[in-house]
Amino acid sequence: MKKSKSMIVVFLAPAVLSFLCIFAWPVLRTIYMSFFNVENITSDIDFNSFVGFGNYANLFSQPVFWKSMENIAKIWFFGGVITLAVSLLFAVILTSGVRGKSFFRAVIYLPNVISAVALATMWMQFVFNKRYGLFNAIVAAFGGKELNWLDSEMKFWSMLIAFIFGAVGYYMLIFLSGIERIPADLYEAATIDGENKVGQFFHITLPLLKGVFKTNITFWTINTVIFFLWSKMFSPVNSEMSTVTPVVYMFNIVFGGKGVTERSAGRGAAVGVVLALIVLLVFFLFNKLIKEEDVEF
């Protein structure tokens, strides 16, 4: 028995140590650092520089921070509704017996394989370009006036469209795995009872995908919270108010950026803590709202 316990400790030790060093320690240090006035992320934390909730108070008084939160809220809500709806639609179509399922699944997922930098560049240069972009070519074909998709007023929505395009395939695969786990007998019984495809979707597919919806919403929340690269690609030189997100704002105040007169790793840590709390809040909220046990087989 002692030998078995020793072997368990030996095999678990590397994983536990890796977890503590790579995940737990940075998280705890970030939380700790958010209560101190720390200029650089590599600086030692001086106990005399304790500011309590001062970093949070300073953060919540910044208009740029609230604008970044507004942007991320719009990305989460509008982008989430469109992305999850389209990905669910594709998943339902691909599990309905359509020919070439593997081909279409690979094509829809393909944007996830391409580098986000390359994908963003493609959208800016070949889709949103005012002179020869695809969207303006379509507008001109219908006799409309060319639009500047990358000006300050439309840049946010252009960025969101491109981001959604790259995200749909990922969530589609998760929905696909959930739908394929539903027993075919349920659909056969519903067909015998005279239920059409639409009725089967609302009475069988949707209720049995509650757990998958929770997973996708959690993943979407995390991907929204860490929204950084797309914002930097659409505003490469200076962070514009229309595209700034909390992670971009955190990057600017920690490493310096436009309009930042004083760098503060402590305030940057406070941003990270706030974002982590948002993810946890969304997770627990949807865990309460969506109950898998309500569905009986």
Side-chain angles (χ1 to χ4, degrees):
M1 189 67 179
K2 281 187 175 181
K3 190 175 181 180
S4 299
K5 289 183 177 180
S6 299
M7 290 301 294
I8 292 172
V9 172
V10 169
F11 280 107
L12 284 179
V16 173
L17 289 174
S18 299
F19 173 81
L20 292 175
C21 295
I22 298 173
F23 180 77
W25 166 243
V27 170
L28 293 175
R29 190 178 190 278
T30 300
I31 296 172
Y32 185 68
M33 192 165 60
S34 69
F35 296 104
F36 288 82
N37 183 21
V38 184
E39 182 180 350
N40 195 295
I41 56 175
T42 58
S43 302
D44 291 331
I45 299 175
D46 183 2
F47 288 100
N48 294 325
S49 64
F50 179 76
V51 294
F53 289 96
N55 285 324
Y56 294 92
N58 186 292
L59 189 67
F60 294 141
S61 66
Q62 300 297 322
V64 180
F65 173 74
W66 286 111
K67 181 59 180 179
S68 70
M69 294 298 290
E70 178 189 334
N71 287 340
I72 207 173
K74 290 191 292 185
I75 293 171
W76 183 82
F77 181 76
F78 294 110
V81 169
I82 297 171
T83 301
L84 296 185
V86 173
S87 59
L88 178 59
L89 175 63
F90 283 149
V92 170
I93 293 173
L94 292 180
T95 53
S96 64
V98 65
R99 291 183 178 182
K101 172 185 173 180
S102 299
F103 170 77
F104 289 115
R105 180 171 57 187
V107 169
I108 297 170
Y109 185 75
L110 184 61
N112 291 269
V113 180
I114 302 172
S115 164
V117 174
L119 199 61
T121 303
M122 178 195 74
W123 275 90
M124 289 188 292
Q125 296 296 326
F126 302 110
V127 181
F128 295 131
N129 190 282
K130 186 176 181 180
R131 294 177 58 191
Y132 50 82
L134 176 63
F135 279 8
N136 271 341
I138 296 173
V139 171
F142 285 94
K145 185 180 179 181
E146 291 182 345
L147 300 173
N148 187 358
W149 298 90
L150 297 177
D151 69 0
S152 57
E153 294 182 0
M154 299 186 65
K155 185 175 284 190
F156 172 83
W157 299 107
S158 299
M159 178 181 68
L160 183 57
I161 290 170
F163 179 60
I164 290 172
F165 175 83
V168 165
Y170 176 78
Y171 298 95
M172 178 201 68
L173 287 186
I174 300 176
F175 277 127
L176 267 173
S177 66
I179 295 174
E180 288 174 344
R181 289 205 324 264
I182 299 175
D185 298 346
L186 294 176
Y187 292 104
E188 293 174 4
T191 302
I192 293 172
D193 289 340
E195 190 74 84
N196 58 26
K197 293 294 183 182
V198 176
Q200 291 177 24
F201 173 75
F202 285 103
H203 296 124
I204 298 176
T205 306
L206 275 185
L208 296 182
L209 287 180
K210 286 185 174 183
V212 179
F213 265 104
K214 285 197 292 187
T215 301
N216 271 342
I217 290 171
T218 302
F219 284 166
W220 176 255
T221 303
I222 294 171
N223 288 332
T224 303
V225 162
I226 61 175
F227 196 94
F228 176 80
L229 191 146
W230 287 88
S231 178
K232 295 301 288 184
M233 287 299 297
F234 276 76
S235 300
V237 180
N238 295 317
S239 300
E240 298 181 25
M241 292 293 282
S242 61
T243 61
V244 67
T245 59
V247 176
V248 173
Y249 175 72
M250 176 174 65
F251 178 87
N252 289 339
I253 62 176
V254 173
F255 299 103
K258 182 182 179 182
V260 177
T261 56
E262 181 183 355
R263 295 192 301 172
S264 173
R267 264 196 294 148
V271 176
V273 173
V274 170
L275 295 180
L277 290 175
I278 289 173
V279 174
L280 290 174
L281 177 64
V282 171
F283 173 76
F284 286 116
L285 180 63
F286 279 94
N287 240 17
K288 290 290 184 182
L289 292 176
I290 304 176
K291 299 287 187 180
E292 291 181 77
E293 60 270 19
D294 292 341
V295 180
E296 295 183 1
F297 290 87

